[in-house]
Amino acid sequence: MKKFILLLTLALTLPTVVFSQSDLLNKALQKEYKTKMKEFKKGGWEIFGSSRSLEVALLNHYDKLNKGGDNVYEIVGIASAFKSKNIGRQIAMNNACVIYSSQAGSQVKGRVVSDMGADADNLTVEFDHFYAAYERAVEKEIRGEIKESFSVIRQNKDGSYEMQSFFIFDEDSALNARVKAFENAAKESVAAQKYAEIISKYINEKVDPSEAPQEKPQQAKGIDI
């Protein structure tokens, strides 16, 4: 009887707990949304390249991130001091790709140095050559995997523009990009070929671009197309 009462109590209280957690999440998301919108409006940012409003674009962006869970990531690419909006958009894309490739390269380098120790030290020059080749290859491959969610733009006092582009990608697609990048970079590195089995384990580890330092955006002053 006591067991039955306990189960009945749990059955009655569980929906309340679930509802409470969901309610807290919704409140947190609403707060995050309001804070971001306030930031955009205060900074003079406007939606770019979309017929939707900035409010709707941001809501859709958060919805994509929430539905994707831990397998989905956001990268914000930035561009500054450009005249051509199309060029600015491309610079923002390039910036996002560099942010991801830099983090991917740093992560692999950290794991190699940590786990291989003296072996890595003895091949420092050769490994450095591999890291550089790997980052270049990742930057190229990830370009086809990240998708622009929305972009915002504002005009500077000198007539040039600034842009922020919000990109989304999933880990499955990013992993494919990293594997292809490793295969291409390994062709240029004796060390990578020698330790391919070991390094490939590091390539398979998730890369979170939010941990990467923000890359300084490329400027395009004076360019007008």
Side-chain angles (χ1 to χ4, degrees):
M1 185 64 179
K2 289 182 179 180
K3 185 177 181 180
F4 173 76
I5 294 175
L6 176 61
L7 291 174
L8 180 61
T9 302
L10 288 173
L12 292 173
T13 58
L14 185 58
T16 303
V17 173
V18 173
F19 174 78
S20 177
Q21 291 175 338
S22 177
D23 190 45
L24 287 173
L25 177 59
N26 287 333
K27 288 182 179 179
L29 289 173
Q30 289 174 12
K31 182 178 180 181
E32 184 178 357
Y33 169 79
K34 290 179 180 179
T35 300
K36 196 64 180 179
M37 279 304 307
K38 185 177 180 180
E39 177 187 317
F40 282 145
K41 290 180 178 179
K42 185 177 180 180
W45 296 98
E46 299 178 351
I47 191 72
F48 173 75
S50 174
S51 60
R52 311 301 295 271
S53 67
L54 178 54
E55 288 83 357
V56 171
L58 183 59
L59 284 172
N60 286 335
H61 179 70
Y62 284 152
D63 186 55
K64 294 172 189 174
L65 291 174
N66 291 333
K67 287 181 178 178
D70 294 336
N71 198 49
V72 171
Y73 296 92
E74 169 194 85
I75 304 181
V76 183
I78 58 178
S80 64
F82 59 88
K83 293 292 183 66
S84 167
K85 295 178 181 180
N86 288 330
I87 288 178
R89 198 173 206 168
Q90 187 59 53
I91 292 173
M93 163 71 87
N94 293 343
N95 181 242
C97 293
V98 169
I99 289 172
Y100 185 85
S101 63
S102 296
Q103 179 61 16
S106 296
Q107 183 168 301
V108 170
K109 183 176 182 178
R111 297 287 279 118
V112 168
V113 172
S114 175
D115 291 357
M116 295 184 64
D119 287 339
D121 292 339
N122 292 334
L123 293 168
T124 298
V125 174
E126 184 58 40
F127 267 124
D128 284 344
H129 177 70
F130 163 69
Y131 300 140
Y134 177 62
E135 286 190 19
R136 290 194 302 269
V138 170
E139 182 181 345
K140 178 182 177 181
E141 296 295 338
I142 199 65
R143 189 176 301 273
E145 304 301 341
I146 62 176
K147 309 297 180 184
E148 182 183 356
S149 182
F150 73 101
S151 293
V152 292
I153 192 170
R154 68 181 177 187
Q155 190 169 20
N156 298 316
K157 292 181 179 180
D158 63 359
S160 65
Y161 294 93
E162 294 180 58
M163 183 178 291
Q164 295 183 55
S165 293
F166 294 75
F167 298 93
I168 289 178
F169 69 98
D170 64 80
E171 172 56 23
D172 293 336
S173 298
L175 175 58
N176 290 333
R178 296 197 304 272
V179 169
K180 290 179 182 178
F182 171 66
E183 291 173 349
N184 291 329
K187 296 175 183 178
E188 304 179 30
S189 171
V190 174
Q193 294 168 18
K194 182 177 180 180
Y195 296 99
E197 185 175 348
I198 297 174
I199 297 176
S200 64
K201 294 189 300 182
Y202 310 146
I203 302 299
N204 289 329
E205 295 177 351
K206 285 186 178 182
V207 175
D208 185 350
S210 66
E211 299 176 357
Q214 183 68 51
E215 293 289 328
K216 185 177 180 180
Q218 180 183 353
Q219 296 186 347
K221 290 184 178 180
I223 297 176
D224 193 359
I225 295 177

